[in-house]
Amino acid sequence: MMETQKFISVILPLKLEWEPCYSLPEDTYEICVGQRVKVRFAFKEYIGVVSAVGITPEIAVERIQSIVSIEEGLEKILPEEIELWRKVAEYYLCTSGEVYKAAYPSGKVNLEEARAAAISRTMLRRERLLEGMREKIRRLEERLEKKEAMTARTREGTKARLMHTEGSEKLRKEINMAKEALAAAESSRETGTQTASYQGISESGIVLNNAQKEAYDRICEGFGNGKPVLLHGVTGSGKTEIYIKLAQKTIAEGRNVLYLVPEIALSRQLEERLNVHFGGKVITYHSGESAARRRAAAEDVRSHTDEGRSGYIVLGTRSSLFLPHHDLGLIVVDEEHDSSYKQDSPAPRYNGRDTALMLSTIHGSNIILGSATPSLEELYNCSIGKHTLVRLEERYHAGESAGVMIIDTKAERRKKGMEGNFSRKLISLIRETLSKGEQVMILRSRRAWAPVLQCDECGKIVRCPHCNVSLSYHKDEKGGFIACHYCGFRSSYSDSCTSCGGHLKNLGAGTQRIEEEASRLFPEAVVARLDSDATQNKTYESKIIRAFSKGEIDILVGTQMVTKGFDFSNLTLVAAIAADTLLGLQDFRADEKALQVLEQFRGRCGRRGRRGLFIIQTSQPDHPVYSRLSSGNIGMACTELMSERQEFGYPPYTRIVEVILKDTDEKRLTVMSSRLADELSGITDRMKDNPVEGPYMPVTDKIADQHIRAIRISLPKDRNLKKRKQKILNVVHKFEKDRRYDGHITINVDPV
């Protein structure tokens, strides 16, 4: 019995440390890796992916269940996809099932099943129609045969014979018409699932200057050496033109391109630009697209494999890494430093930049990572020869970098030089800019009208009942509401303290208040806002970006999303309000992140050869980040930061694994986190690593009624890194099992 029975292993969309074994029915035809099957696991049915065939079971055969069915209507998972899942799972200490679930979430699989069922119904109706047409032809041919037999029995020259002959001719014409219709219908069936043909590539509009040409040649040289390339180009240097030129070359060679951006908002402006050069070859994929459009995009990518076509360029955020890519020749990771590439929850907690490097290895593709403010991790990779560094230090239109003016808000308040959150110096500069018909962009890193509400009488700060954070006040025509930006809690707004009845005052200012103040100070200007509140409507987001690009908006107020990669030709003044909030993070990366945000924001203005100005309003004018920014020598600033990291043993010289514990019972959490830290310390002591830090309370130590503790482990970057990470995972799994503490612990590799 066992000799004839076939066994397979299956990846399920679950957190399982093993891949369950299933048997195939005896009458099952050949099955292969990548096919999807429906199976039962723990009394539920799941769609899984066949990961191995012909395996030898490690448990008793009688305990092995048979698959429910082979899902022939669902597309096969490519070997490259499964290989990527395994790499991601291994590096980020999760399971292949969790990566599969992220790549093919239930909603996507449901759409695939619905589409497969619809196609099946359509095919059935078509087959019935075709069979009806064939039956009609058979009946006509039978009538023709009878008619010809009658003609043969009728005497020559009679009227009856003439009628039979005319009838036969009519039948032959009808049969021929029916056969032509049948042939057309069968041809339509065979080609009906193919996508429309693509437009050709336009190479017009891409003219590289001498600096870009030199960088382009060095990039190609780096690719020739088989290394990833970091393009360190100052803002406005024309990195996008180089990416497009590389993409054109790749597609001309018959291979495909993946172009990653960190934010959806960036993709909207870039999509229009890519369409000019690549037409219908551009496939956009991110969570801002509808489920139907994302499914169509995935099918379009897959169809290149099925039909042997090549030449697509996918523009997407990190989720597009898990599309069924075929024969990738180039991966572009724009703004590689951006923390938006990191997935925090749920698993896999992967970094899109590093996962892109894994994907490039699988496909043997070239990969270029670009930024005006590269991450220290990438600069380190270049310093040790792992990656190739290419610098692009000239702006495309030969303009200068924007000047930096620092305004001390404490000094201005003493001199009564402030109007709300705007200094009179900034107000004067904005008016001067508007008078010349130029545009202004204002950065405020907090959204809402007021980030904090505090009682005048008792001093109590209004906090979320489910999180240890203050509630933010959002103003609207109905009086407004207070909301938690962590768990989503919302309540109507009252200006009275619930404890003592005192008056609540607003502390600080969010983008909504800055927008309101700007509208009051500059009544002649058109003012708009771009933050996650305003952009919940994606149509509105595109409208704002397009309107600002066309000059229909004079002042744009926004959060960090306005700092990233936009190209506005008429923008000459940018200002950061309360810039110090970028520095107040309890994080060893705080200065690096602040420097990146401010330098990126500075680069938004003064393009097309115009001189721009960057205003920083701060109460800490002597902070090292501002002096580094003012010097204009970002390279020197990065060198200083690298020295600090090396001295204190932080990344990129080490790897960090963060173990997070969450529990509604704070006492139990305190005990469990301490015990786990002790067990982890025992292992790291034997490995002679840096001591385990924690457990400690993060800045936000309670979210959605869950108390939080963190344990941070620093590991040396050496050949034993993989083994050490696995030991950490083993300790956590054993701890969960022994203490019956499953569901409370998560592991975050390389937190940002």
Side-chain angles (χ1 to χ4, degrees):
M1 178 70 177
M2 186 170 175
E3 292 180 359
T4 60
Q5 208 166 5
K6 297 178 182 177
F7 298 94
I8 61 172
S9 60
V10 178
I11 299 174
L12 297 179
L14 300 170
K15 182 183 177 181
L16 296 175
E17 300 304 320
W18 76 100
E19 294 172 7
C21 175
Y22 290 89
S23 65
L24 298 175
E26 291 183 13
D27 59 347
T28 302
Y29 60 85
E30 198 65 33
I31 194 169
C32 60
V33 170
Q35 282 189 269
R36 283 190 267 182
V37 292
K38 182 178 288 185
V39 299
R40 290 189 186 88
F41 184 87
F43 306 106
K44 290 186 179 180
E45 289 190 348
Y46 297 94
I47 301 295
V49 178
V50 177
S51 57
V53 298
I55 67 170
T56 302
E58 296 181 358
I59 60 174
V61 173
E62 55 270 15
R63 293 177 55 194
I64 298 175
Q65 297 183 65
S66 175
I67 65 169
V68 176
S69 62
I70 296 175
E71 298 297 289
E72 296 181 9
L74 300 183
E75 298 289 353
K76 180 183 172 185
I77 305 300
L78 300 177
E80 295 90 344
E81 293 181 84
I82 297 176
E83 187 176 353
L84 180 64
W85 300 351
R86 295 198 189 285
K87 282 181 177 289
V88 169
E90 179 183 77
Y91 186 84
Y92 291 102
L93 302 183
C94 61
T95 67
S96 297
E98 289 171 298
V99 187
Y100 166 43
K101 186 177 181 180
Y104 288 83
S106 58
K108 181 178 178 181
V109 175
N110 291 342
L111 281 172
E112 286 186 286
E113 289 183 296
R115 178 180 178 274
I119 290 174
S120 179
R121 289 193 297 270
T122 301
M123 294 300 292
L124 182 60
R125 286 195 295 270
R126 184 171 290 166
E127 284 300 330
R128 287 173 179 169
L129 175 63
L130 292 173
E131 186 55 39
M133 295 172 74
R134 295 188 193 102
E135 181 61 30
K136 179 181 178 181
I137 292 171
R138 282 196 293 270
R139 290 198 304 268
L140 289 172
E141 287 177 338
E142 287 175 0
R143 286 177 57 191
L144 177 61
E145 188 177 341
K146 290 178 181 178
K147 183 71 71 175
E148 288 178 336
M150 292 174 66
T151 303
R153 291 196 299 269
T154 308
R155 279 187 307 125
E156 293 279 349
T158 62
K159 185 176 181 181
R161 185 180 179 91
L162 182 61
M163 290 176 61
H164 292 322
T165 303
E166 289 176 353
S168 297
E169 288 301 318
K170 286 181 181 179
L171 283 172
R172 286 192 184 92
K173 288 180 181 179
E174 195 172 348
I175 290 169
N176 288 335
M177 289 175 62
K179 286 182 176 179
E180 288 175 5
L182 176 63
E186 288 178 333
S187 176
S188 173
R189 176 184 61 183
E190 292 171 2
T191 60
T193 57
Q194 294 184 9
T195 54
S197 61
Y198 285 135
Q199 303 168 19
I201 302 175
S202 169
E203 297 204 17
S204 61
I206 296 296
V207 179
L208 303 183
N209 60 26
N210 290 334
Q212 286 174 314
K213 287 177 183 175
E214 184 178 342
Y216 178 87
D217 291 340
R218 290 196 59 206
I219 291 165
C220 292
E221 183 181 338
F223 288 164
N225 294 329
K227 290 184 179 182
V229 173
L230 170 64
L231 177 59
H232 182 183
V234 298
T235 51
S237 58
K239 294 185 290 295
T240 305
E241 283 79 9
I242 293 177
Y243 300 152
I244 292 173
K245 202 76 173 176
L246 290 168
Q248 288 176 337
K249 179 176 182 290
T250 302
I251 292 176
E253 292 169 350
R255 302 191 74 187
N256 305 309
V257 179
L258 173 59
Y259 195 134
L260 291 175
V261 291
E263 296 271 9
I264 294 172
L266 268 180
S267 73
R268 299 190 188 283
Q269 189 183 48
L270 187 57
E271 183 179 2
E272 296 178 4
R273 198 166 173 184
L274 293 180
N275 278 326
V276 171
H277 300 284
F278 298 98
K281 289 181 177 291
V282 180
I283 302 170
T284 305
Y285 188 90
H286 52 66
S287 61
E289 299 287 312
S290 68
R293 291 192 66 175
R294 291 200 302 274
R295 184 198 69 208
E299 289 175 358
D300 208 357
V301 171
R302 192 185 297 279
S303 70
H304 286 75
T305 305
D306 296 340
E307 298 165 21
R309 294 186 293 122
S310 60
Y312 65 72
I313 175 168
V314 170
L315 172 64
T317 50
R318 62 175 184 258
S319 59
S320 60
L321 287 160
F322 297 111
L323 287 171
H325 293 290
H326 169 68
D327 197 21
L328 279 178
L330 174 69
I331 300 176
V332 176
V333 184
D334 198 14
E335 309 294 353
E336 63 80 21
H337 68 277
D338 201 298
S339 59
S340 296
Y341 278 122
K342 175 68 172 177
Q343 161 104 350
D344 289 323
S345 187
R349 294 171 177 81
Y350 67 101
N351 189 307
R353 175 196 63 209
D354 299 331
T355 303
L357 288 164
M358 297 178 194
L359 188 64
S360 71
T361 301
I362 291 169
H363 286 266
S365 65
N366 296 321
I367 180 167
I368 181 168
L369 307 102
S371 177
T373 54
S375 62
L376 297 189
E377 282 79 5
E378 265 309 297
L379 291 174
Y380 175 81
N381 285 333
C382 293
S383 70
I384 62 174
K386 191 175 179 181
H387 296 178
T388 299
L389 174 62
V390 176
R391 297 187 186 275
L392 185 59
E393 297 175 334
E394 287 184 21
R395 298 194 114 201
Y396 186 70
H397 292 281
E400 297 179 36
S401 296
V404 178
M405 178 188 290
I406 296 175
I407 297 175
D408 184 348
T409 51
K410 285 197 298 186
E412 292 301 311
R413 290 190 195 284
R414 287 195 297 269
K415 297 184 296 184
K416 299 190 183 302
M418 298 289 292
E419 289 191 35
N421 291 281
F422 288 77
S423 65
R424 289 202 173 97
K425 291 178 181 178
L426 176 57
I427 292 170
S428 176
L429 289 165
I430 291 176
R431 284 181 176 149
E432 182 184 337
T433 301
L434 295 176
S435 69
K436 294 186 288 187
E438 297 168 352
Q439 293 170 291
V440 177
M441 188 180 282
I442 298 172
L443 168 67
R444 176 66 179 109
S445 61
R446 302 281 178 83
R447 57 191 173 99
W449 201 83
V452 181
L453 296 171
Q454 185 176 32
C455 178
D456 267 339
E457 299 295 328
C458 67
K460 180 181 178 180
I461 290 176
V462 182
R463 292 187 173 275
C464 174
H466 308 289
C467 308
N468 192 14
V469 295
S470 59
L471 291 172
S472 300
Y473 169 48
H474 293 252
K475 201 173 184 180
D476 62 24
E477 61 278 1
K478 296 179 181 178
F481 58 91
I482 51 177
C484 176
H485 293 168
Y486 284 82
C487 72
F489 170 81
R490 181 181 288 204
S491 178
S492 58
Y493 169 72
S494 169
D495 61 1
S496 298
C497 177
T498 56
S499 295
C500 70
H503 179 263
L504 294 177
K505 62 180 179 181
N506 303 305
L507 299 182
T511 50
Q512 195 179 21
R513 184 172 180 176
I514 299 299
E515 178 191 22
E516 186 178 294
E517 289 185 7
S519 297
R520 177 177 53 79
L521 289 168
F522 313 103
E524 74 287 355
V526 179
V527 183
R529 175 166 49 96
L530 193 67
D531 57 25
S532 56
D533 291 330
T535 59
Q536 288 180 1
N537 183 330
K538 301 303 177 184
T539 303
Y540 176 80
E541 177 187 335
S542 299
K543 181 181 176 183
I544 291 295
I545 294 170
R546 193 173 291 112
F548 193 75
S549 183
K550 292 179 179 178
E552 297 168 359
I553 294 171
D554 301 304
I555 301 174
L556 183 62
V557 179
T559 50
Q560 276 97 320
M561 66 170 61
V562 301
T563 70
K564 301 177 180 181
F566 292 113
D567 185 4
F568 301 118
S569 60
N570 200 37
L571 176 61
T572 58
L573 177 66
V574 294
I577 302 286
D580 302 332
T581 53
L582 296 168
L583 306 170
L585 304 173
Q586 294 182 12
D587 179 8
F588 69 88
R589 287 193 173 93
D591 283 7
E592 179 191 6
K593 290 178 180 177
L595 191 64
Q596 288 168 341
V597 168
L598 293 172
E599 178 62 20
Q600 288 283 335
F601 190 46
R602 176 191 186 185
R604 295 312 109 216
C605 74
R607 299 197 170 203
R608 305 300 188 274
R610 299 186 182 190
R611 175 69 170 171
L613 180 61
F614 180 23
I615 309 296
I616 299 175
Q617 287 195 169
T618 172
S619 59
Q620 304 177 62
D622 298 325
H623 195 284
V625 165
Y626 303 137
S627 59
R628 287 164 173 164
L629 194 70
S630 298
S631 72
N633 192 341
I634 300 300
M636 179 60 70
C638 290
T639 301
E640 292 172 359
L641 289 172
M642 290 278 273
S643 297
E644 291 174 7
R645 297 280 184 87
Q646 187 172 22
E647 181 181 352
F648 292 101
Y650 284 125
Y653 297 96
T654 58
R655 289 286 191 204
I656 286 180
V657 176
E658 202 167 55
V659 182
I660 308 295
L661 296 90
K662 297 182 180 180
D663 201 326
T664 54
D665 186 329
E666 188 173 12
K667 289 183 179 179
R668 181 173 61 188
L669 176 66
T670 301
V671 172
M672 289 296 191
S673 59
S674 295
R675 288 176 178 172
L676 179 57
D678 288 342
E679 294 192 20
L680 289 168
S681 295
I683 283 195
T684 54
D685 285 345
R686 289 197 298 274
M687 294 191 297
K688 298 181 180 180
D689 292 335
N690 295 329
V692 171
E693 296 180 40
Y696 61 88
M697 292 184 183
V699 177
T700 305
D701 63 344
K702 181 185 175 186
I703 297 176
D705 295 320
Q706 297 261 15
H707 299 276
I708 305 169
R709 297 292 183 272
I711 303 168
R712 177 169 284 189
I713 308 162
S714 295
L715 301 174
K717 291 175 70 173
D718 57 26
R719 66 183 65 182
N720 294 316
L721 177 62
K722 178 180 172 182
K723 186 188 300 182
R724 288 166 173 163
K725 285 166 60 179
Q726 187 60 45
K727 284 185 178 181
I728 292 171
L729 183 63
N730 293 341
V731 168
V732 170
H733 285 166
K734 187 175 186 302
F735 184 88
E736 288 177 315
K737 183 178 179 181
D738 293 348
R739 310 280 180 172
R740 297 182 180 179
Y741 205 57
D742 192 34
H744 294 276
I745 306 175
T746 58
I747 300 177
N748 189 8
V749 177
D750 299 342
V752 298

